[in-house]
Amino acid sequence: MKRFLILLATAALLIAVSPIHAQDDYGQYSEQQPPAAQPAPPPTQPGTASNAPTDADPNAPGMARVSLVQGSVSTQRGDNGDWVPAIVNTPVAVGDRISTGADGRAEIQLDYADVLRLSSNTTVKIAQLNRGTIQVQVGQGLATYTVMKDAQAAPEIDTPNAALHPNGPGEYRIVVDSSAESEITVRNGSADVTTPQGSTHVDAGQLITVAGTDNPEYKTSTAPAEDAWDNWNDQRNSRIEDAQSWHKTDPYYTGSGDLDGYGTWSEVPDYGPVWIPSEGPNWAPYRDGRWVWEPYYGWTWVSYEPWGWAPYHYGRWMVYGGNWVWWPGPVYYNPFYYPVWAPAYVSFFGWGGGGWGFGVGFGWGFGRVGWLPCGPGDWYHPWWGRWGRGYAFVNGHNDFHQGFAPLGRGAHPFSNFNEAMRSDRVRAGFSSMDGHDFGRAAVSMHQGGISASQFSQARMVSGRMPISPTRASYSPNGRAADPRS
């Protein structure tokens, strides 16, 4: 415990002296002084208009993702201590713990380049997670931490008696047998392992064993041959790194590697690559899943679709050729631009029965809550962090511009908000549920649709969503955690 507190204080100091990042024209973050040799984006490209939030928060916490679950796996939330079941696309925030049962395995994508995998009977905690720093604490069991190419964060993996600092891309295996002994194997790359007595460099093919807590001792030896756990990690790494969709999306988009097997890529004039999911004709985004509560981001979308991370937390959706397609956004001029992760890219509405925003206040009465995916030409109004200090209802985008400006302008802005007034297909992408069920139950896949008249009467939310979470709002599937994990 003392070791963890010391490490946390050190990490806080590193953050305090880290370089300041400037907000760029995309509402993303780039280095304060970009290399002069890099060309600026042409002003004619979609997305060159500012989409920056008016009051950006560069210190917003990162959000990890459960990307694979086998057997019994649970997470303990850091905000209220509840244990909830882990499913694919469960958000994992700072302070959360992940635990596997005797039959369990899990994969956590901490960002686009840092992946943590847990074997059976393993417990870890996410202690820090942002663009520059990742800190993971392994309490017990077997875990492997992989750093892929182009990683930007400086990771630290703690055990009860040591701290592992990878020196770049590589594969690092950690075994915690008890609070007094840790084994760290460097399969690829190199790392520095720190104890209270100092730091030791460990190269690929080496194993370091650290025993004791107050005055731990260590020895370095040749690593044993790879086993089935290592082979499984290698297969998972290859699946992620070799995915073709990385060539179509921004390289920072966590989860892009899942798109290959669930859809196809096409081209839209003036916009470039778009992804078309292999779903039925009545399918719409932000419908197969559930709204859960996260302490900083508030209402966050959890998709039940295995590919449902990158397309719901980056980019924009629009109707093209009669299909809903996902546009990754302006992805061509890296490393200038860093994407903004969001709990969902939708506009929220309320209406119905006497309704939401018509004198019902926080009781919600018998009104309904609805949401429409944001298109490239739509304003996006955040409801979390510093934007969530208050709320209001507005009748249209022209009444409120405190948020992210459109990513795409020009001849084809693809505004879902505007098209919903005249397009049945766009309105078919409008999902809703009873206000009392929002955040308490999964969204119904059978939506009755909304007429142009109903849509015109709905009132859009700006700022904080006036719905308080309940205990049911913390579980990604409404079930209790598996006791085995």
Side-chain angles (χ1 to χ4, degrees):
M1 179 63 69
K2 292 181 180 179
R3 178 61 187 158
F4 283 170
L5 292 175
I6 294 172
L7 293 170
L8 284 171
T10 304
L13 179 61
L14 290 174
I15 293 175
V17 300
S18 63
I20 297 175
H21 291 80
Q23 179 186 316
D24 64 26
D25 287 341
Y26 286 76
Q28 302 152 354
Y29 301 98
S30 57
E31 295 298 329
Q32 185 78 14
Q33 299 294 331
Q38 297 287 347
T44 56
Q45 291 290 333
T48 53
S50 171
N51 75 319
T54 57
D55 193 17
D57 183 5
N59 297 316
M63 187 66 75
R65 168 213 185 197
V66 177
S67 50
L68 183 141
V69 171
Q70 295 179 354
S72 54
V73 182
S74 298
T75 63
Q76 184 184 35
R77 294 178 57 101
D79 53 349
N80 61 10
D82 280 3
W83 282 97
V84 298
I87 64 173
V88 172
N89 296 322
T90 297
V92 180
V94 171
D96 290 357
R97 287 180 170 86
I98 306 99
S99 179
T100 58
D103 63 336
R105 280 186 179 182
E107 178 183 86
I108 315 298
Q109 291 183 327
L110 299 161
D111 62 10
Y112 64 96
D114 291 80
V115 181
L116 176 68
R117 298 189 183 94
L118 283 60
S119 185
S120 59
N121 294 322
T122 299
T123 302
V124 302
K125 178 182 178 180
I126 308 302
Q128 195 165 355
L129 181 62
N130 56 48
R131 182 184 177 184
T133 307
I134 296 174
Q135 185 184 13
V136 174
Q137 298 170 347
V138 182
Q140 67 176 33
L142 165 62
T144 291
Y145 193 103
T146 298
V147 181
M148 298 183 180
K149 63 180 181 179
D150 300 324
Q152 291 189 348
E156 177 179 302
I157 303 94
D158 300 333
T159 73
N161 60 358
L164 167 68
H165 300 269
N167 291 323
E171 190 172 315
Y172 309 91
R173 172 172 169 155
I174 304 99
V175 177
V176 177
D177 291 329
S178 68
S179 61
E181 182 168 303
S182 306
E183 292 182 351
I184 298 171
T185 303
V186 178
R187 291 299 187 192
N188 297 295
S190 67
D192 294 314
V193 176
T194 303
T195 69
Q197 280 67 45
S199 181
T200 302
H201 185 78
V202 184
D203 287 315
Q206 290 186 318
L207 163 68
I208 181 172
T209 302
V210 182
T213 52
D214 294 334
N215 294 291
E217 298 180 351
Y218 68 86
K219 66 176 182 178
T220 304
S221 58
T222 301
E226 292 193 0
D227 57 16
W229 170 254
D230 298 309
N231 293 334
W232 180 73
N233 275 271
D234 292 341
Q235 292 171 5
R236 291 296 301 173
N237 289 338
S238 297
R239 183 182 181 278
I240 295 173
E241 292 181 308
D242 297 342
Q244 295 303 302
S245 291
W246 290 110
H247 303 294
K248 304 290 186 179
T249 71
D250 191 295
Y252 299 113
Y253 285 7
T254 304
S256 292
D258 292 327
L259 302 180
D260 283 12
Y262 297 97
T264 58
W265 287 92
S266 185
E267 295 278 331
V268 172
D270 298 330
Y271 280 81
V274 296
W275 183 72
I276 309 171
S278 301
E279 304 290 348
N282 297 321
W283 180 88
Y286 295 102
R287 184 168 293 173
D288 186 5
R290 185 186 184 99
W291 293 99
V292 301
W293 181 264
E294 290 295 333
Y296 176 85
Y297 289 102
W299 294 111
T300 301
W301 180 250
V302 175
S303 170
Y304 294 162
E305 294 141 328
W307 49 263
W309 187 262
Y312 291 133
H313 301 292
Y314 303 103
R316 301 293 189 272
W317 287 89
M318 59 186 176
V319 173
Y320 186 78
N323 297 312
W324 280 99
V325 303
W326 176 62
W327 178 54
V331 300
Y332 296 109
Y333 297 100
N334 291 298
F336 279 114
Y337 309 111
Y338 192 85
V340 174
W341 186 93
Y345 278 106
V346 301
S347 296
F348 280 108
F349 298 83
W351 86 101
W356 191 38
F358 294 86
V360 209
F362 288 92
W364 289 95
F366 40 86
R368 291 188 68 81
V369 184
W371 53 93
L372 181 68
C374 289
D378 288 319
W379 282 82
Y380 174 62
H381 306 297
W383 55 84
W384 66 89
R386 60 182 65 183
W387 302 288
R389 294 172 181 169
Y391 75 94
F393 299 96
V394 296
N395 294 322
H397 283 80
N398 291 332
D399 294 333
F400 183 75
H401 285 323
Q402 302 300 313
F404 294 78
L407 285 180
R409 292 182 174 179
H412 305 287
F414 289 104
S415 167
N416 294 334
F417 182 86
N418 293 333
E419 287 297 319
M421 297 300 299
R422 54 182 176 265
S423 170
D424 292 340
R425 186 69 184 96
V426 172
R427 283 199 308 277
F430 190 96
S431 303
S432 67
M433 62 195 308
D434 186 276
H436 291 290
D437 294 331
F438 183 89
R440 297 167 173 84
V443 177
S444 173
M445 292 291 291
H446 304 287
Q447 296 284 330
I450 184 173
S451 68
S453 175
Q454 288 175 310
F455 183 75
S456 66
Q457 295 175 18
R459 305 187 73 184
M460 188 173 65
V461 183
S462 62
R464 180 170 56 89
M465 286 280 289
I467 309 178
S468 298
T470 66
R471 179 59 62 86
S473 304
Y474 300 110
S475 173
N477 61 3
R479 300 173 184 172
D482 191 327
R484 294 174 296 174
S485 58

